[in-house]
Amino acid sequence: MTGARASVREVETPVGPARVHLTRAPHARGSLVLGHGAGGGVEAPDLLALTTLADEGWAVALVEQPWRVAGRRVAAPPGQLDQAWLAVLAALTRGRGALPHPLVVGGRSAGARVACRTAASVGAGAVLALAFPLHPPGRPEKSRAHEALEVSGAGTPLLVIQGATDPFGGPEEVRAALGEAPEVVRVAGAHGFAKGAPGVLDAARTWLAARLG
């Protein structure tokens, strides 16, 4: 990446060490911190595609949760995910080398839920949710809309990028559940987006340009 510097650091959290993969533009004008899902890590194609935003003035941090760093196959409970995320954000936004504002948090699937639940606590200026799992497949009555509604209800900008055939809730379902405040963008693919990563990058780039404005 032109001019961008990549680094990896471990951050101690109350539930074990997390790992942060940071790609930072020289004189970055804003920060994007993203978490991974329950079924994969920071190597997800859409997350990797978003690291190229470092060439456009962003510091992009991909956060590996402690359960993943420890090599476990089953994700930690939501409370532990939130604890680890809050510890990582505190480490990244304080002291020497702190990430610059505006601070945009987000992630894919379970990582998006964590970012929504903790957005107010970390002082996020906006939230980017990739493949937000509105409900378990085939269980629309088990809605998680309230987590995203906490963000938009607080007046914080929220972008949801959703796969056209996502069994956890398609774009139209998400729009119906979240109302008009969040922006919902439809991209190709299901929950993993398959070959939809370029569409994810384009949608995020357009939306984030306003955050730097």
Side-chain angles (χ1 to χ4, degrees), residues 11-205:
V11 176
E12 290 298 327
T13 84
V15 293
R19 189 176 293 134
V20 179
H21 303 256
L22 177 63
T23 307
R24 187 165 185 161
H27 313 295
R29 297 176 293 143
S31 303
L32 177 61
V33 184
L34 301 168
H36 57 78
V42 295
E43 69 278 3
D46 51 330
L47 295 178
L48 292 179
L50 290 173
T51 64
T52 63
L53 292 168
D55 290 332
E56 300 172 28
W58 289 88
V60 183
L62 304 183
V63 178
E64 220 174 333
Q65 282 274 355
W67 69 269
R68 184 83 180 181
V69 174
R72 295 193 292 272
R73 295 185 178 183
V74 178
Q80 291 186 21
L81 297 177
D82 291 359
Q83 277 187 297
W85 181 258
L86 290 170
V88 169
L89 266 291
L92 293 178
T93 57
R94 299 175 187 171
R96 185 178 180 182
L99 295 182
H101 282 67
L103 173 66
V104 179
V105 298
R108 80 158 358 264
S109 195
R113 295 181 64 196
V114 172
C116 287
R117 290 193 298 261
T118 60
S121 297
V122 303
V127 177
L128 171 58
L130 309 171
F132 183 80
L134 183 65
H135 56 71
R139 301 291 302 276
E141 74 279 4
K142 299 286 187 180
S143 177
R144 297 149 177 165
H146 62 280
E147 295 176 345
L149 288 170
E150 288 181 21
V151 177
S152 54
T156 303
L158 169 63
L159 172 64
V160 181
I161 302 178
Q162 206 74 359
T165 57
D166 193 333
F168 289 81
E172 291 72 24
E173 271 190 277
V174 171
R175 286 193 188 95
L178 302 187
E180 297 181 359
E183 183 175 346
V184 180
V185 174
R186 177 191 184 103
V187 296
H191 197 61
F193 297 143
K195 297 180 180 179
V200 172
L201 178 58
D202 289 343
R205 177 186 287 120

